[in-house]
Amino acid sequence: MALKSLNQSSTVVSMIDTANSTFAVLFTIEAILKLSALGVPYFEEGWNNFDLVIVLGADICLIITWTTGSEVGSIAMIARTFRAFRIFRLVRSLRRLRIIFNTFVLALPSLANVGALLALVFFVYTILAVNLFAKTRFQTYLNSHANFQTFGNALLLLIRVATGEDWAFIMEECALSSDNPLYPCTPDPNFDQMHLSSTPIGCGTSAAYPFFVTFTLVVSFIMIKLFIAIVLAEFEQVIRKERSKLSEEQFEYFRNKWADFDPKGSCFISVFDLIPFLQALGPPLGLPAGETVFMNMYNFVSALRLPAHGSRVHFAEVSAALAKRMLFQKRGFADLLSADLDDLTKQPSTVTGDSSDPMLLQYRASDHLAAIRLQHYFREKKKNRQKEEQRK
C-alpha cells in the first residue's frame, strides 16, 4: 500500500498485486494448518481469532476483486483496511511490541473513565466561554475562525488552548478593555448593537485571566498528565506479568536439557538424575549456579512436591512444578508455594490420569532421594565399622 503512487508503471502494479496475493495465500495456508492441528482450541486464543478474521477478510476482498475485475469504491477501502491490519500480526511475535499493545488494551477502561471526566470539564468550560466571551471583538488571535460565538467554535478553540498554542495571547484578547486604542470596543453591547455589526464589537472581561489559567492547570497539567500516569501504571503491570511468565526461550532450554537426560524421548527421567538435571538447568528454573550442598538441593526438590512414578519423574509434572515455583517467587508468594504444589499433586496424574495411583499417593521424588541418602550413610557407616574391626 505504501508503494503506490501516481502514474505507476504496469510492472510495479503487477509486482504489488503479486506480492499481495502471495502473502494472502501464505497467511491462508498458515491459518488452515493451525486450525487443522489445534482444532477447537484454536479459537480459545484471541490472537488466533484476530488472524482468522484478517485472513478471511483479505481473501473475500481478493475473490471479489478477481471476479469483478475492479478494485474501486467500498470494496477497495475494505481491502486496504484488512491489508493494513496485517501489521498487527507482528505484535504477536515481537515481545516489546506486544507489551506496548497489551498496555494500551489494558489501559482503555481507565482511559475511558478519565476521558469522560475530561469531556465533562470541556463541556463546562465551553458553556462558560460562550457566556463570557461570545461578544468579544475580533482581533489577531480571536477571529472568524477562532472565537467563542457558538458552542462548536468555543469547543474547538478550547481544544486548541489545551495544546498550549498561543493560549496566553487568546487570554489577553479575551480580557480586552474599553480604553484600548487599537481595538475600540463597546462594553456589554445589547442585541441590537450586535445585530448592526457583522462582527462582535464587545469588550472582554477580566474573568479571562482566572478562566484560562484554571483551564490550563486542570486540563493541560492535570487531566492530560493523568492519561500518561494511567498508561505508565498499566505498563508497569504488563512488565511484571511478562517477567513472571515462563518465556518460550526458557521452556525451549528446559526441553533441550531434558533431552540430554532422556535421549529416548520417554518423558521420564530417573529420580537419581533429577538433581544433576536441575544443576545442568541452572537458574531461574533449576538450582542456583554452583550449588553442591546436598541438603540445599534436597530442600529444593522437596519443595517441588514432585510425584514419583516408581523411581522416575515425568516431564510435564517437573516443568509445571518448576514454572509454578518461578512464578510464585517472582510475585513474592514463595511462602504459599508448598501448599499450592500440594494441591497440584493431589490432582489426577498427568501420566496415568488416575489420582488413585498407589505410587503417586505414597511417595514423592524427595522421598526417594532421602532413602538414597540414608542408604548411602548406612553403607558408609558399615564400611567404617568394618575397617575399625579389621584394625583391631
Side-chain angles (χ1 to χ4, degrees):
M1 290 176 64
L3 294 175
K4 287 191 174 183
S5 61
L6 185 64
N7 298 325
Q8 278 185 329
S9 65
S10 58
T11 304
V12 175
V13 173
S14 177
M15 290 175 57
I16 293 174
D17 291 340
T18 303
N20 177 50
S21 302
T22 302
F23 281 113
V25 171
L26 291 176
F27 292 149
T28 303
I29 294 173
E30 178 193 21
I32 293 173
L33 291 176
K34 280 187 176 181
L35 190 57
S36 60
L38 299 177
V40 176
Y42 174 88
F43 299 98
E44 295 177 0
E45 186 177 350
W47 281 112
N48 289 338
N49 296 328
F50 177 79
D51 287 347
L52 187 60
V53 170
I54 298 301
V55 168
L56 290 177
D59 289 347
I60 291 172
C61 292
L62 279 177
I63 292 172
I64 295 175
T65 302
W66 289 338
T67 54
T68 59
S70 62
E71 191 176 351
V72 294
S74 59
I75 296 176
M77 183 184 66
I78 296 173
R80 294 189 191 102
T81 301
F82 280 108
R83 291 178 199 171
F85 277 153
R86 288 175 182 170
I87 194 67
F88 287 104
R89 293 168 61 92
L90 294 174
V91 175
R92 187 177 187 175
S93 57
L94 300 179
R95 178 177 175 271
R96 295 184 181 276
L97 189 59
R98 186 174 68 249
I99 290 175
I100 297 174
F101 184 81
N102 291 340
T103 300
F104 176 74
V105 172
L106 292 176
L108 280 178
S110 299
L111 291 177
N113 295 333
V114 178
L117 181 58
L118 182 62
L120 180 62
V121 172
F122 267 100
F123 180 78
V124 172
Y125 270 90
T126 301
I127 293 175
L128 289 175
V130 171
N131 283 273
L132 290 173
F133 313 121
K135 301 177 182 180
T136 304
R137 175 178 177 154
F138 289 169
Q139 301 163 62
T140 304
Y141 296 94
L142 280 179
N143 49 55
S144 58
H145 302 290
N147 56 72
F148 296 101
Q149 287 189 295
T150 64
F151 183 89
N153 287 347
L155 179 60
L156 291 175
L157 185 53
L158 286 180
I159 293 175
R160 171 182 162 185
V161 170
T163 66
E165 181 185 358
D166 298 328
W167 74 271
F169 299 106
I170 297 173
M171 177 181 67
E172 289 291 342
E173 293 192 354
C174 287
L176 177 67
S177 60
S178 58
D179 57 354
N180 191 315
L182 293 177
Y183 300 100
C185 58
T186 304
D188 194 18
N190 56 36
F191 177 80
D192 293 333
Q193 292 173 313
M194 293 286 293
H195 183 69
L196 294 175
S197 176
S198 59
T199 60
I201 59 173
C203 297
T205 172
S206 58
Y209 296 111
F211 177 89
F212 283 96
V213 169
T214 56
F215 178 81
T216 302
L217 287 175
V218 172
V219 175
S220 301
F221 293 99
I222 297 179
M223 302 298 294
I224 302 301
K225 299 300 185 294
L226 193 56
F227 278 99
I228 299 174
I230 290 173
V231 173
L232 290 177
E234 294 295 341
F235 181 77
E236 184 178 359
Q237 290 187 10
V238 171
I239 287 291
R240 288 180 180 177
K241 289 180 181 179
E242 287 288 330
R243 288 177 177 174
S244 66
K245 292 179 181 178
L246 181 64
S247 65
E248 294 182 5
E249 292 80 8
Q250 290 171 329
F251 191 66
E252 181 67 25
Y253 184 73
F254 176 89
R255 287 199 299 263
N256 293 335
K257 288 298 178 182
W258 184 277
D260 294 339
F261 290 84
D262 181 24
K264 295 182 179 179
S266 64
C267 291
F268 286 99
I269 62 172
S270 171
V271 172
F272 310 118
D273 293 330
L274 183 57
I275 286 181
F277 166 72
L278 294 174
Q279 287 176 321
L281 187 62
L285 287 174
L287 287 164
E291 182 61 75
T292 57
V293 179
F294 176 79
M295 284 307 300
N296 294 338
M297 296 186 291
Y298 172 79
N299 291 334
F300 184 98
V301 174
S302 179
L304 297 178
R305 303 292 198 269
L306 289 172
H309 304 272
S311 60
R312 302 180 302 171
V313 289
H314 191 264
F315 172 87
E317 292 165 344
V318 175
S319 61
L322 290 175
K324 187 160 288 191
R325 171 186 170 274
M326 186 184 74
L327 174 65
F328 272 62
Q329 285 190 336
K330 285 189 174 184
R331 293 190 176 181
F333 302 126
D335 54 332
L336 303 177
L337 177 63
S338 298
D340 194 78
L341 289 174
D342 274 334
D343 294 337
L344 180 65
T345 56
K346 291 176 184 177
Q347 297 174 0
S349 171
T350 57
V351 182
T352 64
D354 184 8
S355 60
S356 62
D357 182 357
M359 298 304 296
L360 179 61
L361 293 174
Q362 292 181 11
Y363 302 113
R364 293 193 178 104
S366 57
D367 299 330
H368 284 265
L369 291 176
I372 294 169
R373 193 65 176 177
L374 288 173
Q375 290 176 355
H376 175 75
Y377 279 133
F378 176 78
R379 290 168 183 165
E380 289 292 327
K381 190 69 175 178
K382 187 176 180 180
K383 286 181 181 179
N384 292 334
R385 285 183 178 178
Q386 290 175 352
K387 289 180 180 180
E388 290 178 0
E389 289 177 358
Q390 290 176 357
R391 290 175 182 175
K392 292 180 180 179

